[in-house]
Amino acid sequence: MDRMTRFETPLQIIELDNISRFNNILDIGAGGEGLAARIGKERVYGVDIRIDEIRELQTKGVNCNWAVCDARKLCFRNDVFDLATIWFSLMYIKRAEDKVQVLNECKRALRKDGVLHLMDAQVDTDKGVFILNARFKLPDGQIVDTGYGVSGQQKQTFEWLQTHLIELGFKAVEQDVRKHWFRILCRK
Ligand SMILES: C[S@@+](CC[C@H](N)C(=O)[O-])C[C@H]1O[C@@H](n2cnc3c(N)ncnc32)[C@H](O)[C@@H]1O
């Protein structure tokens, strides 16, 4: 595998849901562009393993309830959140068993009938690096353009995630599967 080769998607236009109708929102991998925090603000508990990601968003005025924490072992009690968002964060967690552990932790922290809202890239390439180019449209009209670059040495597809969500006991609600990314809503 040549780590210097890369696969880059064309620009993906992605409309984000208005999650602020939920009260307590857990956002996993909340750094980057801070998309969930920009929408849900004080309703969001934004978890990131890297404090520098959080600090950067704070300097840009993006705020929520930040927590520096490894999503494989969440610093929250059982059954507390109405919604858990994982938006283009699992692609940053390379090992399959770590991805599954994060999903399991989200399930633990969600209340009964709580919703998991997962959006992520279809990473299935023989290149060393995978880059998803995206333009996000937020419910208030804000536009966020970004590129998420990760290791291509992983296989993360909709089918793979769907299988694991079912194994973990989530019930499917809605899905939207595109060539380069997907959106899954399911219930605890
Ligand atoms: C680039 S962001 C993904 C997009 C982000 N949700 C947004 O709104 O733009 C991915 C984040 O996941 C974080 N991350 C990676 N592994 C993690 C883990 N085990 N626990 C928590 N956060 C993690 C990274 O530090 C990074 O900030």
Side-chain angles (χ1 to χ4, degrees):
M1 172 85 59
D2 180 359
R3 285 166 195 272
M4 299 307 286
T5 60
R6 64 187 196 174
F7 173 83
E8 210 167 322
T9 72
L11 186 68
Q12 307 294 300
I13 311 291
I14 303 176
E15 287 198 23
L16 296 178
D17 295 338
N18 195 347
I19 54 171
S20 45
R21 64 183 188 280
F22 292 89
N23 282 324
N24 293 324
I25 302 166
L26 168 67
D27 184 41
I28 301 294
E33 303 298 333
L35 297 169
R38 286 175 198 259
I39 300 171
K41 302 188 171 70
E42 70 283 350
R43 292 161 191 262
V44 172
Y45 291 78
V47 166
D48 205 288
I49 202 167
R50 283 177 49 177
I51 196 164
D52 57 318
E53 289 280 338
I54 292 173
R55 290 268 183 264
E56 196 180 328
L57 286 169
Q58 286 174 323
T59 60
K60 292 179 182 165
V62 179
N63 273 306
C64 70
N65 303 286
W66 296 110
V68 180
C69 167
D70 186 341
R72 291 172 298 178
K73 196 167 187 347
L74 286 172
C75 50
F76 298 104
R77 286 184 288 122
N78 297 354
D79 309 309
V80 284
F81 291 101
D82 304 311
L83 176 73
T85 50
I86 314 180
W87 289 356
F88 302 94
S89 298
L90 283 184
M91 63 195 286
Y92 284 84
I93 297 171
K94 190 173 153 189
R95 290 180 354 144
E97 56 267 47
D98 290 338
K99 293 179 200 276
V100 174
Q101 201 173 328
V102 171
L103 296 174
N104 208 14
E105 277 292 272
C106 286
K107 187 170 179 225
R108 181 184 67 70
L110 277 170
R111 67 164 171 74
K112 185 174 178 295
D113 292 328
V115 175
L116 176 67
H117 186 310
L118 178 54
M119 283 193 289
D120 225 303
Q122 307 253 29
V123 188
D124 191 3
T125 175
D126 55 2
K127 303 282 195 263
V129 175
F130 173 92
I131 300 167
L132 180 90
N133 289 307
R135 169 165 300 157
F136 292 104
K137 296 186 173 178
L138 278 64
D140 67 356
Q142 273 185 81
I143 300 286
V144 177
D145 284 335
T146 196
Y148 294 134
V150 294
S151 167
Q153 295 170 312
Q154 57 176 311
K155 188 173 162 91
Q156 174 181 280
T157 59
F158 164 75
E159 289 77 15
W160 184 87
L161 267 159
Q162 190 189 41
T163 303
H164 285 282
L165 289 167
I166 291 167
E167 270 175 20
L168 289 172
F170 282 101
K171 297 161 213 116
V173 174
E174 211 180 295
Q175 64 198 40
D176 180 6
V177 186
R178 310 291 176 98
K179 184 172 179 192
H180 296 297
W181 62 278
F182 54 84
R183 180 172 163 277
I184 303 176
L185 264 75
C186 50
R187 219 173 259 288
K188 177 170 171 178

